[in-house]
Amino acid sequence: MTNSSVASSICSIVPPYLLARLAAAEDPAKATAAKSARRALTGIDGVESARLAPHSAPSRGSGTAFTPSLRRTISDALGLEELPGTVVRSEGQPDTGDPAVDETYAGLGATYRLFSDAYGRSSLDGAGRALEATVHYGRAYDNAFWDGSRMVLGDGDGEVFERFSKSLTVIGHELAHGIIQYTAQLDYRDQAGALNESIADVFGVLVEQKLLGQTADQASWLVGEGLFTDLVQGRALRSLKAPGTAYDDDVLGKDPQPGSMADFVKTAADNGGVHINSGIPNRAFYLVAEALGGYAWERAGQVWYDTITERNFPADATFAVFAAATLTAAEKRYGAGTEESTAVQAAWKEVNVLV
């Protein structure tokens, strides 16, 4: 996948393999969920096809040009699968009383502030780009995604999934795909695609941790916590701390994420397993944060941010290439043989990625 098509793959929070399991559900109690999952799978194909038209890739940016302005616009799709929808809340306007609108507005702000406060970056492009989102996309739509220009959130089916705006990590994750689009521009397939998903997970959990003021040992390290209804045996979509343990449900199956290269999944599905194998770099980041302690968005997050904003970073990076780049970033900022560089090297070794 070339840089010109980086943004043309829809980046969704719910993996297609999970939707496929739900779509095939025969449990009458999940009939609406199964129907919604089938529609969401079709929606992914439709959106992706629409976005495969040639377009110019955004220029890479380090985020050093700072425009101190947060500009948010929330639109309402009114149950249609059409974008952008009708504008219902703009920057500075009060709460609307619609939970999806107000949760999304707050989530955009929390994500902006993580990158602004911790890394000196102004918005997704580093130059104050407006943050746009659409809520109430489709009827009982079972997903949230970044489409290359805006974040889009469904309301969930009510049987398996709650509304997607309820999870701050989901909002942070999807906007982080926008950050990647303007920085590393990682291909959305194979190991590079898994890195794309992992980095979005990393910054998604950091948005929540910073808002809550949680240290690494206080955080849940879960992505999508609270999305599942009480009918599902599971806590979240993914766990950075313990990949493969987020859910284990009769209908959805067991969380398939590996936490080590020893269990790397070879598959042609899901763009080469981008939502599955992302568990390996996810675990590596958690181990760095755990070893360093304190607030994970500070030293551990800084190393990951420095890595993706390095100019000429290869869009087709493998786990090994990315691991080496994080070690270089740690040594460049903190020095060789420091606590930070040692933690990075040890983390990748533990997940069996050679640096």
Side-chain angles (χ1 to χ4, degrees):
M1 188 179 293
T2 64
N3 282 348
S4 63
S5 62
V6 166
S8 51
S9 288
I10 182 172
C11 301
S12 61
I13 194 72
V14 181
Y17 58 79
L18 193 152
L19 289 173
R21 290 279 307 223
L22 182 55
E26 298 179 353
D27 183 353
K30 294 184 174 68
T32 298
K35 182 178 179 180
S36 297
R38 289 192 290 271
R39 193 161 58 245
L41 281 169
T42 303
I44 287 178
D45 294 339
V47 173
E48 181 145 352
S49 297
R51 297 184 57 236
L52 286 175
H55 62 281
S56 298
S59 60
R60 299 183 185 219
S62 64
T64 55
F66 191 83
T67 304
S69 61
L70 170 57
R71 294 178 294 146
R72 292 166 282 187
T73 301
I74 314 298
S75 298
D76 188 340
L78 302 172
L80 302 176
E81 294 185 18
E82 297 177 3
L83 297 173
T86 303
V87 174
V88 289
R89 188 174 180 186
S90 298
E91 187 60 41
Q93 293 181 338
D95 285 357
T96 63
D98 181 331
V101 173
D102 299 332
E103 289 164 350
T104 301
Y105 183 88
L108 295 183
T111 304
Y112 180 96
R113 283 186 288 274
L114 168 72
F115 286 96
S116 174
D117 297 349
Y119 314 120
R121 186 180 189 86
S122 179
S123 194
L124 308 183
D125 61 351
R129 183 189 190 277
L131 299 179
E132 300 180 351
T134 296
V135 299
H136 301 310
Y137 180 81
R139 296 290 183 185
Y141 192 78
D142 275 343
N143 223 330
F145 58 87
W146 170 257
D147 78 345
S149 62
R150 68 175 49 242
M151 178 180 64
V152 182
L153 300 165
D155 290 326
D157 55 70
E159 294 176 346
V160 170
F161 288 107
E162 302 276 6
R163 65 179 182 275
F164 285 81
S165 60
K166 289 184 69 173
S167 173
L168 179 56
T169 54
V170 167
I171 293 172
H173 171 103
E174 295 306 335
L175 290 181
H177 278 303
I179 298 283
I180 297 164
Q181 180 177 312
Y182 282 96
T183 56
Q185 296 185 350
L186 288 161
D187 292 346
Y188 200 64
R189 64 179 181 185
D190 302 327
Q191 288 190 24
L195 286 169
N196 198 319
E197 279 298 321
S198 172
I199 293 164
D201 276 351
V202 163
F203 288 110
V205 298
L206 292 185
V207 168
E208 180 177 77
Q209 289 176 24
K210 185 175 185 299
L211 180 68
L212 298 178
Q214 294 176 330
T215 57
D217 62 337
Q218 293 171 331
S220 71
W221 294 98
L222 296 173
V223 175
E225 186 175 17
L227 283 185
F228 290 137
T229 69
D230 293 340
L231 295 177
V232 178
Q233 298 299 310
R235 295 183 62 197
L237 291 172
R238 292 183 285 280
S239 169
L240 279 71
K241 181 177 182 178
T245 67
Y247 59 88
D248 189 354
D249 183 76
D250 290 343
V251 173
L252 301 180
K254 188 180 186 303
D255 177 3
Q257 280 206 313
S260 165
M261 284 299 290
D263 301 311
F264 183 87
V265 177
K266 294 183 179 180
T267 177
D270 189 28
N271 285 359
V274 300
H275 289 92
I276 297 177
N277 292 314
S278 57
I280 298 169
N282 274 359
R283 171 76 176 159
F285 180 82
Y286 165 76
L287 291 170
V288 174
E290 178 193 43
L292 295 178
Y295 297 124
W297 64 84
E298 294 182 340
R299 292 183 289 170
Q302 185 70 64
V303 169
W304 255 240
Y305 179 77
D306 287 350
T307 301
I308 66 170
T309 53
E310 185 68 31
R311 292 192 178 278
N312 301 316
F313 190 83
D316 60 352
T318 61
F319 290 173
V321 168
F322 185 79
T326 60
L327 181 58
T328 298
E331 292 179 342
K332 183 177 180 180
R333 180 170 288 272
Y334 300 107
T338 58
E339 182 183 18
E340 293 82 5
S341 65
T342 299
V344 169
Q345 194 161 26
W348 288 112
K349 182 178 181 180
E350 185 161 338
V351 300
N352 293 312
V353 174
L354 298 179
V355 181

